[in-house]
């Protein structure tokens, strides 16, 4: 397919890398990551092939919720640097051809934000209606409490003004009244401000909660889809190539509405939480059928929109869209101890520890991620197989400092270890054994594998752009799919089981005039006249094939040519 198309719609086959400035690299030796430190590490991402950096919140904050409790949407947390440092970071990233997006956290503010301080000063405050108030706490749905380990209600009493304010998350994070046109205008200004400084879009936090009916006032709320359509239109007017990547953890029929249905005029991309959760069920069972079913059910996004695929993110590994029994299967396989679980619905572990450090299996899972239809998103440290630190509370267990070297503080900081506030994992997943420096020199390392996958993924735009078909493999443990685009076809096959097996596929539309060339290793497989092809799959094996005529097939490394 034409590369000019993939350039115009860059997000459809981007490689997105999520990082937290606070935990990525310390540039001034105070024990806290900052923009100056991150600048010095951008070449690591460039060498991997990352095309888009997603920044977790870097704004001023009391830091009660790891930066998601914001006190100023127009500045940088002084611990992390200055606006000048941010602009320098953007400049260096752009020089490497890497776009940058950032978290848009406008569902709520910190209770220390000047808007809320003013709002709670008087019922007549000009900012009063920027938040949601009620004379009595409205009836709570216990399922609506996002953090049941910390909160038992969605309402908090304010003694000074004798009303309750609404908080979907923590009590120190009052929800903004995003139905208020003044608040909507302010959100647009926030987007416009950061776009002027170079951002290529935003990852929108907590999308389903941005506009919701929470009081019985009888007032009709604006349609949330009109709000997102207006936000997207504003974004497009400022920069037609900018994106909104939405965190929308809903069933497919509800989720697809946030694309703007067939129009595609709301969110540009949405995370696919359903297939992610089914993937873990397939991994736990060593049975590909749950994942295959999810992809068969998944609706196609609008033409210029895209799904974002992932294996891990910065939050708990949520399993909320599975049944209780399915969730228990995954807990038993990957997090049997209560300390590994969180909120009764997820895991606070990273993938390598869940898979017991089995490198073959870990490599297979990331091969699966990069071949699934959609745009892959990596969480920092995934490329080297970092583990979690369960001694840290809650979701923060997976947000430990990046492990660059085997030396003091894992190369994250030159500070006295006592000044590094977030402790690293120890043992088999500590920086002495898992770090960038060692893996850069090891051709068989996970980092080398991820780099290789990114290169081949970028060479196979069909995976992201093409029409995909889940294939029947005849083996429950083996997942296979093909992607077709502009007359080109690629096929990916993954063995989720620990036993070797033989696989036979039938590729409609193909005969013996075409061959399959393995893209991850040398080798070519013949297709018979009925489109059938058979081959072995090793324990946790993975194979990517390109279908082509023999004379145009990619060459093996040993070919004389």
């Amino acid at each position: 397919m034409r590369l000019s198309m993939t350039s115009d719609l860059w997000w459809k086959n981007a490689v997105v890398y999520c990082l937290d400035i606070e935990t990525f690299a310390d540039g001034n030796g105070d024990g806290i990551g900052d923009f100056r430190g991150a600048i010095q590490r951008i070449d690591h991402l460039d060498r991997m092939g990352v095309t888009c950096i997603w920044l977790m919140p870097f704004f001023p904050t009391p830091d009660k919720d790891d930066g998601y409790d914001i006190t100023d949407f127009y500045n940088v947390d002084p611990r992390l640097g200055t606006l000048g440092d941010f602009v320098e970071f953007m400049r260096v990233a752009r020089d490497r051809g890497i776009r940058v997006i950032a978290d848009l956290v406008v569902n709520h503010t910190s209770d220390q934000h000047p808007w809320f301080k003013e709002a709670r000063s008087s019922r007549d405050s000009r900012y009063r209606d920027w938040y949601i108030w009620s004379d009595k706490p409205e009836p709570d749905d216990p399922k609506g409490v996002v953090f049941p380990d910390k909160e038992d209600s969605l309402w908090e009493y304010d003694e000074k003004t004798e009303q309750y304010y609404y908080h979907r998350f923590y009590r120190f994070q009052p929800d903004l009244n995003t139905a208020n046109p003044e608040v909507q205008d302010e959100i647009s200004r926030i987007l416009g401000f950061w776009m002027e400084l170079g951002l290529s879009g935003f990852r929108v936090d907590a999308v389903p909660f941005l506009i919701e009916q929470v009081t019985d006032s009888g007032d009709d709320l604006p349609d949330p889809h009109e709000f997102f359509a207006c936000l997207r239109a504003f974004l497009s007017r400022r920069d037609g190539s900018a994106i909104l990547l939405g965190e929308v953890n809903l069933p497919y029929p509800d989720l697809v509405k946030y694309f703007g249905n067939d129009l595609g005029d709301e969110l540009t991309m949405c995370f696919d939480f359903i297939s992610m959760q089914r993937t873990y069920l397939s991994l736990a069972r060593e049975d590909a059928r749950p994942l295959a079913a999810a992809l068969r059910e998944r609706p196609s996004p609008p033409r210029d929109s895209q799904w974002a695929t992932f294996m891990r993110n910065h939050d708990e590994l949520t399993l909320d869209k599975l049944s209780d029994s399915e969730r228990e299967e995954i807990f038993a396989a990957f997090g049997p101890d209560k300390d590994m679980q969180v909120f009764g619905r997820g895991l606070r572990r990273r993938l390598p520890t869940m898979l017991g450090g089995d490198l073959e299996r870990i490599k297979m899972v990331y091969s699966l991620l990069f071949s699934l239809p959609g745009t892959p998103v990596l969480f920092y440290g995934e490329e080297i197989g970092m583990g979690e630190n369960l001694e840290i509370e809650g979701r923060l267990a997976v947000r430990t400092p990046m492990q660059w070297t085997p030396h003091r503080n894992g190369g994250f900081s030159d500070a006295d270890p006592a000044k590094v506030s977030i402790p690293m994992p120890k043992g088999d997943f500590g920086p002495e054994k898992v770090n960038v420096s060692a893996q850069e020199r090891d051709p068989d390392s996970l980092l080398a594998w991820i780099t290789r996958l990114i290169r081949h993924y970028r060479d196979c735009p069909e995976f992201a752009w093409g029409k995909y078909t889940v294939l029947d493999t005849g083996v429950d443990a083996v997942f296979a799919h093909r992607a077709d685009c502009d007359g080109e076809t690629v096929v990916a096959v993954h063995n989720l089981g620990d036993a070797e097996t033989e696989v036979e596929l039938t590729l409609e539309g193909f005969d013996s005039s075409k061959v399959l060339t393995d893209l991850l290793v040398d080798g070519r497989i013949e297709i018979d006249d009925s489109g059938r092809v058979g081959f072995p799959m090793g324990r946790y094996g993975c194979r990517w094939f390109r279908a082509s005529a023999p004379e145009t097939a990619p060459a093996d490394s040993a070919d004389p040519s």
Side-chain angles (χ1 to χ4, degrees):
M1 62 181 298
R2 298 199 321 271
L3 286 182
S4 58
M5 290 183 64
T6 65
S7 176
D8 285 345
L9 302 179
W10 62 269
W11 56 87
K12 293 202 73 169
N13 66 325
V15 177
V16 182
Y17 185 96
C18 172
L19 66 86
D20 185 357
I21 290 294
E22 184 176 355
T23 57
F24 199 60
D26 174 14
N28 62 5
D30 66 353
I32 300 170
D34 48 47
F35 276 105
R36 292 188 179 186
I39 287 168
Q40 297 304 117
R41 295 295 188 177
I42 283 182
D43 280 340
H44 164 67
L45 307 183
D46 184 39
R47 287 190 293 270
M48 281 173 55
V50 168
T51 64
C52 179
I53 296 171
W54 155 23
L55 295 176
M56 291 170 61
F58 53 82
F59 314 100
T61 172
D63 209 25
K64 292 183 178 180
D65 184 23
D66 201 29
Y68 283 86
D69 48 327
I70 295 169
T71 58
D72 182 356
F73 290 101
Y74 295 99
N75 217 325
V76 173
D77 188 327
R79 299 174 308 140
L80 311 183
T82 66
L83 278 173
D85 294 327
F86 172 84
V87 170
E88 192 171 312
F89 176 88
M90 296 296 298
R91 173 69 182 179
V92 174
R94 183 167 63 247
D95 179 61
R96 271 71 175 167
I98 300 176
R99 296 175 184 266
V100 182
I101 65 174
D103 263 317
L104 180 68
V105 188
V106 291
N107 168 265
H108 51 256
T109 70
S110 165
D111 60 4
Q112 299 303 305
H113 196 292
W115 298 342
F116 189 68
K117 285 185 174 182
E118 177 64 24
R120 73 193 312 182
S121 68
S122 165
R123 292 195 186 190
D124 297 323
S125 164
R126 60 160 295 204
Y127 287 105
R128 186 68 176 181
D129 196 38
W130 283 43
Y131 295 87
I132 301 168
W133 301 89
S134 179
D135 288 330
K136 62 183 187 304
E138 305 291 335
D140 280 335
D141 176 2
K143 294 181 181 178
V145 178
V146 176
F147 301 123
D149 63 331
K150 298 293 183 183
E151 303 290 348
D152 56 11
S153 172
L154 303 177
W155 295 90
E156 184 70 9
Y157 186 64
D158 180 61
E159 293 186 358
K160 183 169 184 178
T161 57
E162 298 181 325
Q163 279 189 315
Y164 293 83
Y165 65 83
Y166 181 77
H167 58 91
R168 167 59 73 172
F169 297 93
Y170 296 109
R171 68 188 66 190
F172 54 79
Q173 291 172 326
D175 272 35
L176 281 165
N177 179 13
T178 48
N180 183 336
E182 290 186 3
V183 175
Q184 294 185 8
D185 286 347
E186 190 68 26
I187 291 172
S188 294
R189 278 190 285 273
I190 293 167
L191 266 65
F193 176 83
W194 292 105
M195 290 174 72
E196 287 297 314
L197 296 182
L199 287 186
S200 293
F202 302 86
R203 175 263 188 187
V204 188
D205 188 54
V207 166
F209 301 138
L210 271 177
I211 295 182
E212 54 179 340
Q213 185 75 52
V214 297
T215 70
D216 59 3
S217 64
D219 296 335
D220 291 330
L221 289 180
D223 183 343
H225 299 290
E226 288 184 10
F227 169 69
F228 284 111
C230 289
L231 210 60
R232 176 73 176 277
F234 174 87
L235 201 75
S236 296
R237 289 194 300 272
R238 294 295 177 94
D239 179 355
S241 67
I243 66 165
L244 294 175
L245 168 57
E247 181 192 29
V248 193
N249 184 11
L250 293 174
Y252 284 138
D254 298 320
L255 188 158
V256 75
K257 297 174 184 177
Y258 286 92
F259 282 121
N261 292 315
D262 294 335
L263 293 177
D265 61 351
E266 294 183 35
L267 298 176
T268 322
M269 302 172 66
C270 289
F271 285 104
D272 185 359
F273 281 90
I274 304 299
S275 71
M276 179 276 290
Q277 296 182 44
R278 298 278 188 87
T279 296
Y280 277 95
L281 184 59
S282 283
L283 292 174
R285 292 177 175 176
E286 299 197 356
D287 183 338
R289 288 175 293 180
L291 171 58
L295 288 178
R296 288 188 174 111
E297 295 166 10
R298 190 174 81 171
S300 297
R303 179 179 176 182
D304 291 344
S305 303
Q306 182 62 300
W307 292 103
T309 57
F310 64 107
M311 290 298 166
R312 199 61 183 89
N313 63 10
H314 61 292
D315 279 327
E316 78 271 13
L317 180 69
T318 183
L319 304 169
D320 66 318
K321 295 300 182 287
L322 300 176
S323 69
D324 290 345
S325 61
E326 290 170 337
R327 193 177 306 117
E328 289 301 324
E329 283 185 67
I330 297 175
F331 284 165
F334 302 135
D337 298 340
K338 284 294 183 183
D339 189 43
M340 299 172 177
Q341 303 164 20
V342 64
F343 309 138
R345 63 173 185 247
L347 291 165
R348 59 193 204 102
R349 307 192 76 195
R350 282 182 175 252
L351 178 71
T353 55
M354 286 191 279
L355 301 187
D358 186 330
L359 189 57
E360 277 188 306
R361 196 178 188 190
I362 295 166
K363 286 182 175 182
M364 180 275 294
V365 172
Y366 284 109
S367 171
L368 179 63
L369 169 64
F370 278 94
S371 66
L372 286 175
T375 296
V377 181
L378 290 172
F379 184 43
Y380 77 92
E382 281 194 277
E383 72 272 26
I384 58 171
M386 275 174 50
E388 72 282 346
N389 185 350
L390 293 175
E391 295 179 2
I392 303 174
E393 184 179 7
R395 301 171 298 160
L396 298 183
V398 301
R399 303 181 191 175
T400 55
M402 184 66 180
Q403 297 169 196
W404 298 103
T405 74
H407 309 306
R408 186 169 73 167
N409 300 323
F412 162 73
S413 173
D414 292 333
D416 184 309
K419 293 181 66 177
V420 179
S421 59
I422 305 173
M424 293 184 174
K426 299 176 183 178
D428 289 341
F429 292 92
E432 295 81 9
K433 295 188 177 180
V434 177
N435 63 78
V436 172
S437 178
Q439 293 196 23
E440 283 181 329
R441 292 160 174 79
D442 180 0
D444 297 319
S445 70
L446 181 58
L447 176 58
W449 178 247
I450 295 288
T451 302
R452 187 177 186 184
L453 290 174
I454 290 175
R455 184 176 72 251
H456 287 298
Y457 163 77
R458 295 286 288 176
D459 285 341
C460 297
E462 295 87 357
F463 281 137
W465 282 74
K467 178 182 178 182
Y468 70 89
T469 306
V470 177
L471 302 174
D472 181 17
T473 67
V475 182
D476 290 346
V478 178
F479 175 77
H481 72 289
R482 63 183 282 181
D484 300 272
C485 186
D486 292 347
E488 299 288 336
T489 299
V490 290
V491 178
V493 188
H494 292 84
N495 182 8
L496 277 58
D498 68 352
E500 296 180 359
T501 188
E502 291 285 331
V503 173
E504 183 175 285
L505 304 177
T506 299
L507 302 176
E508 292 187 10
F510 288 91
D511 56 28
S512 58
S513 66
K514 299 291 179 71
V515 296
L516 294 182
T517 303
D518 200 320
L519 301 177
L520 301 180
V521 297
D522 284 344
R524 191 173 298 170
I525 301 175
E526 304 294 329
I527 303 174
D528 72 15
D529 283 330
S530 59
R532 288 195 299 269
V533 58
F535 48 86
M537 291 291 295
R539 171 187 183 270
Y540 301 129
C542 48
R543 306 187 74 168
W544 293 12
F545 299 104
R546 178 168 291 283
S548 62
E551 59 270 19
T552 61
D556 285 348
S557 62
D559 282 356
S561 58

